Amino acid sequence: MAHPKRRLPGNAAGDFYVDETCIDCETCRWLAPETFFPVAGQSAVLRQPGSPEARRQALLAAVACPTASIGTLAAAPEMAEARAAFPVPIAEEVYYCGYHSPKSFGAASYLIVRPEGNVLVDSPRRSETLAARIESMGGARWLFLTHGDDVADHGFWRERLGCERILHVGDAGGSTLDCERILSGGDTVELAPDLRIIPVPGHTEGSCALLYRESFLFTGDHLAWSERRGHLYAFRDACWHSWRRQTESMGKLAGYGFEWVLPGHGRRFHSDRETMRAQMEECLEWMRGRG
Ligand code: SF4
């Protein structure tokens, strides 16, 4: 839990604060942008929430924070409400799970709710509250793991929800060797008519994206929106396998149509298809210039 004695000096006076255990995963800054800001390589509360919506977002950030670095004087019932709010809707039947794990350096995870079986995309932190909520929404048939960095508490979710874990062999190892479905090769896999798994090696050897209904693209750490650059991009400094292969994979991905980019790290992006195509081209050009 965050501790007032470790409160960072950059925090504004008041209820909410960030303490020195922050790992700068960025989650609170996109989840509660009116409250949390970057300060000296970490996050801090530069403005205390000034509206009910800003307060709700700050409470969600306190729950989502992977390292419990956000402190608040909020009363127990208000915190319980925030804990029970996840998964929160993004659009249509796609939800954001919150509960980031330090084991995946605070990567985001998602839930797709569909009549043929729900899909959990990457692993949230272990939580009975979240598990009960997901159960009430129909459970999870699959736990799709985009790559080996974001598997976090996959064993807990397998046990708790009985979901089939899916991971590419290029990233399987240690505790993930017993995943129920290990993919291989570079061909797109049709998991169901509305779900396609697209291998995108580069960030890691076994990175894969998941395309849902030709609209929602879950990208792991392959592709995200950069607030600072103002375009889609890939993490050049966090490319663990091959930048050349990642650029090739991005070229392949650009051939698909989609409207949403939902990453593990970095920001989401939503646009019409034409803008998305242009963004993918800009991303590719940017990547080629950094070979
Ligand atoms: S969510 Fe937590 S760890 Fe991540 S930047 Fe905010 S305070 Fe730091």
Side-chain angles (χ1 to χ4, degrees):
M1 290 298 291
H3 198 285
K5 282 192 176 159
R6 294 181 179 170
R7 186 179 177 121
L8 290 169
N11 289 289
D15 178 351
F16 286 86
Y17 65 92
V18 175
D19 80 6
E20 63 192 21
T21 60
C22 167
I23 59 170
D24 194 30
C25 74
E26 209 193 340
T27 302
C28 57
R29 303 203 291 266
W30 55 257
L31 194 47
E34 288 180 36
T35 302
F36 298 94
F37 292 83
V39 177
Q42 289 178 304
S43 287
V45 173
L46 286 199
R47 275 197 303 265
Q48 294 292 333
S51 68
E53 177 56 14
R55 183 173 178 85
R56 190 188 76 88
Q57 291 172 350
L59 289 165
L60 292 180
V63 176
C65 175
T67 45
S69 305
I70 299 173
T72 169
L73 299 176
E78 201 179 11
M79 279 311 299
E81 194 179 320
R83 279 193 284 272
F86 291 107
V88 295
I90 295 174
E92 298 165 44
E93 56 276 16
V94 174
Y95 294 76
Y96 156 58
C97 292
Y99 290 88
H100 296 227
S101 169
K103 295 175 190 167
S104 56
F105 198 76
S109 59
Y110 304 92
L111 181 71
I112 308 170
V113 176
R114 49 197 289 287
E116 304 81 7
N118 296 348
V119 189
L120 191 53
V121 180
D122 285 330
S123 173
R125 160 175 106 236
R126 175 190 185 115
S127 160
E128 269 304 325
T129 305
L130 181 63
R133 280 277 295 144
I134 291 175
E135 268 182 333
S136 75
M137 296 167 78
R141 177 174 175 187
W142 291 298
L143 168 53
F144 172 72
L145 298 163
T146 56
H147 67 299
D149 298 342
D150 294 352
V151 301
D153 291 322
H154 66 99
F156 168 80
W157 297 104
R158 159 69 185 165
E159 210 169 289
R160 187 66 177 70
L161 302 174
C163 44
E164 184 184 1
R165 293 165 295 177
I166 304 171
L167 178 68
H168 194 280
V169 67
D171 278 21
S175 71
T176 55
L177 282 173
D178 63 352
C179 282
E180 290 64 41
R181 195 181 300 196
I182 303 278
L183 308 172
S184 60
D187 293 338
T188 296
V189 174
E190 190 174 289
L191 188 59
D194 55 348
L195 287 165
R196 279 197 236 177
I197 298 171
I198 307 164
V200 286
H203 170 69
T204 59
E205 189 179 354
S207 283
C208 291
L210 180 70
L211 182 60
Y212 172 57
R213 285 209 290 105
E214 312 287 336
S215 180
F216 298 90
L217 184 71
F218 301 88
T219 56
D221 291 351
H222 176 68
L223 171 70
W225 175 261
S226 168
E227 194 70 4
R228 184 165 64 84
R229 294 177 181 83
H231 62 77
L232 284 175
Y233 86 126
F235 301 107
R236 182 66 186 95
D237 296 339
C239 176
W240 313 131
H241 175 58
S242 161
W243 187 249
R244 180 188 58 76
R245 292 194 75 193
Q246 191 164 351
T247 307
E248 287 169 7
S249 295
M250 203 67 81
K252 180 171 80 169
L253 206 51
Y256 289 85
F258 46 90
E259 296 167 350
W260 285 87
V261 169
L262 299 162
H265 289 110
R267 309 271 176 130
R268 295 173 204 156
F269 182 63
H270 177 219
S271 76
D272 58 75
R273 287 167 192 272
E274 199 178 319
T275 304
M276 189 65 81
R277 258 192 295 277
Q279 276 292 329
M280 288 299 288
E281 285 308 316
E282 188 172 347
C283 176
L284 267 169
E285 202 177 311
W286 181 87
M287 289 181 79
R288 287 178 187 130
R290 276 148 191 87

